[in-house]
Amino acid sequence: MRADRRAWTTGLRPGPVGYRRAEVLRGGFGALAGIALAGVTASAVPGGPAGLPWIVAPMGATAVLLFAAPASPLAQPWPVLAGNTVSTLVGVAAGKLVDDVTAAAAVAVAVAIPLMMVLRCVHPPGGACALFTAVGGAAVHDHGWAFVLWPVGVDTVVLLLVAALVNNLTGRPYPHVPEPPPPPGADAPPTERVGLRTEDVRAAMDRLDRGLDVMPGDVLALVRDAEAHALDRRLGQLRVGAVMARDVRTVQPQETLYRARMLMNQHAVKALPVVTDDRRVVGIVTVYDLFNLDVAALDPVSRVMSSPVSTVGADTPVSELVGLMADRGLRHLPVVDDDGRLAGIVTRAELVAVLHRALVDAQQA
């Protein structure tokens, strides 16, 4: 009981798949609003025989996908709209052409599934739409082909609109669009050159030939997040504050490049954070800035410094430095305290030393 309460408080449900509290609330509220508005809207449309439902049962399954799994390929607008309406067309046709109810139901679902696959609009509730329509009784039969537009079409469109509104307003972009892969020939970050890329995942999914209903970009993001988690675990959740250099030489924006060169030579450093009087970091100047540009020795540091500059907090996991320094090519990262003032600096040398120590420890384990 205590474990369950603690998991709910922190926003995660125990078990192999965790749902954050915000996602649970989004799912419940979204379904409430979507189903209610779909029913009200359909009931306001005139026409149809008596006894025809304003909202059909498959819409409940559509709501599950739209509000509990909006990133699924099965929950995107084209599969939802085309899957429901095309399958309903199939159900109407089966009901008209096949006299036996059981046979009509079987034919409707058997035709709807491959048709959705061919049209790339696989949506599980579509199978339910085909089945419901084929065995829907006299009211559905009398309404005929119009059943596709009302109530199925109206219900589906309203649910899609509510899903777009609720998901986007609560921080879940919908429709879901994974990050596009880099164009062929484009320079890739170092970790992509040696690790997984989107095309690798897509090729693996094609080789499996199991019809995996997930987008390659989402798989890649999941794998990379798992790798980062594993690295953080391997490093023992080591924080930047434990490896940073605290005795940091700095310059101010108005100081001269001559002074910056002197500090670098005297203290054998290759970068100097640029700070204000209260030690807030406003930039960074490196040896490459000083010796690769045609500038006068008395020019101010502000002329060549990189600004704004990336910084990290002392409580940042060391595992996050891998992405910052490898993928973004950063060699020096100023470390700031809770008030945003300079607390230290971490370089690639410290990162390499930590990773080497972790590798040695892993080999000895």
Side-chain angles (χ1 to χ4, degrees), residues 43 109 269 341:
S43 66
V109 177
V269 295
R341 293 180 172 84

Side-chain angles (χ1 to χ4, degrees), residues 281-307:
V281 181
V282 295
I284 191 169
V285 59
T286 69
V287 65
Y288 306 101
D289 299 324
L290 296 181
F291 295 101
N292 288 339
L293 297 178
D294 183 19
V295 292
L298 297 181
D299 284 338
V301 168
S302 59
R303 179 175 175 183
V304 301
M305 71 180 185
S306 298
S307 180

